[in-house]
């Protein structure tokens, strides 16, 4: 969004490219069961940090409490840098939150269509079923068979660690 709002500025593309390149380096290392090149990782992190610094220089904090969306984004990227780069140090953390958003979509759709559930019990039951379906899909297990097993008292559970 920052790139669209400020097409004349380089820093949004620089930050995006650094994050995407870091993701590619990490995924390639995971796929080949190797370690990502530390110099390449350090270079991309430096590129990301530089983009934030340039962006903040171009969009300084304004007087008053309310700030521009661009400044808020840059400040969040600076203050939450570790969270933005978590997937680099912890490869089990996904690069995007698309999976989480995908899990929430059915609940929001249900809410839009019917307004809400008639009872807390109904809402809880619906959430349990949706959660089980989501887990089965993430584990690449057959959904209908998994639901049948759950209804007959034999739900799928992960193997103990």
């Amino acid at each position: 969004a920052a790139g669209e709002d400020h097409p004349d500025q380089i820093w949004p593309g620089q930050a995006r490219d650094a994050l995407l390149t870091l993701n590619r380096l990490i995924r390639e290392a995971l796929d080949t069961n190797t370690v990502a090149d530390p110099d390449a990782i350090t270079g991309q992190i430096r590129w990301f940090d530089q983009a934030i610094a340039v962006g903040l220089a171009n969009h300084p904090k304004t007087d008053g409490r309310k700030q521009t969306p661009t400044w808020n984004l840059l400040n969040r990227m600076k203050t939450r840098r570790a969270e933005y780069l978590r997937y680099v140090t912890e490869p089990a953390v996904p690069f995007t939150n698309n999976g989480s958003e995908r899990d929430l979509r059915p609940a929001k759709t249900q809410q839009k269509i019917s307004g809400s559930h008639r009872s807390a019990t109904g809402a809880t039951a619906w959430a349990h079923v949706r959660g089980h379906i989501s887990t089965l899909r993430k584990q690449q297990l057959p959904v209908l068979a998994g639901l049948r097993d759950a209804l007959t008292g034999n739900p799928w559970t992960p193997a103990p660690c």
Side-chain angles (χ1 to χ4, degrees):
E4 294 169 2
D5 292 344
H6 307 287
D8 57 324
Q9 296 181 15
I10 295 172
W11 67 266
Q14 180 178 335
R16 181 198 63 232
D17 291 347
L19 292 172
L20 290 173
T21 302
L22 282 165
N23 183 49
R24 182 182 51 77
L25 290 168
I26 297 301
R27 294 295 141 222
E28 286 174 358
L30 287 173
D31 291 345
T32 59
N33 206 19
T34 60
V35 176
D37 177 11
D39 291 336
I41 297 289
T42 302
Q44 292 303 314
I45 291 173
R46 193 174 310 120
W47 194 240
F48 177 72
D49 290 341
Q50 182 187 25
I52 295 170
V54 169
L56 285 169
N58 289 337
H59 301 276
K61 187 173 183 176
T62 59
D63 290 336
R65 187 170 174 185
K66 185 164 175 63
Q67 299 300 315
T68 65
T70 302
W71 185 88
N72 289 335
L73 170 67
L74 288 160
N75 185 54
R76 200 167 42 250
M77 290 167 67
K78 181 180 179 183
T79 59
R80 297 183 180 175
R81 179 179 177 270
E83 286 86 356
Y84 274 84
L85 300 174
R86 175 98 49 225
Y87 67 96
V88 175
T89 57
E90 297 177 31
V93 173
F95 177 64
T96 69
N97 67 345
N98 291 345
S100 300
E101 290 183 359
R102 202 173 306 120
D103 286 344
L104 291 174
R105 191 171 300 126
K108 292 305 288 179
T109 302
Q110 168 73 18
Q111 188 179 32
K112 286 179 185 177
I113 292 171
S114 67
S116 65
H117 292 280
R118 290 184 179 258
S119 69
T121 305
T124 301
W126 185 85
H128 282 294
V129 171
R130 289 302 313 174
H132 197 69
I133 290 171
S134 177
T135 299
L136 290 168
R137 286 185 175 146
K138 288 177 184 174
Q139 297 297 324
Q140 299 177 344
L141 297 169
V143 173
L144 289 177
L147 288 174
R148 181 197 64 225
D149 292 345
L151 291 171
T152 58
N154 186 25
W156 177 87
T157 55
C161 296

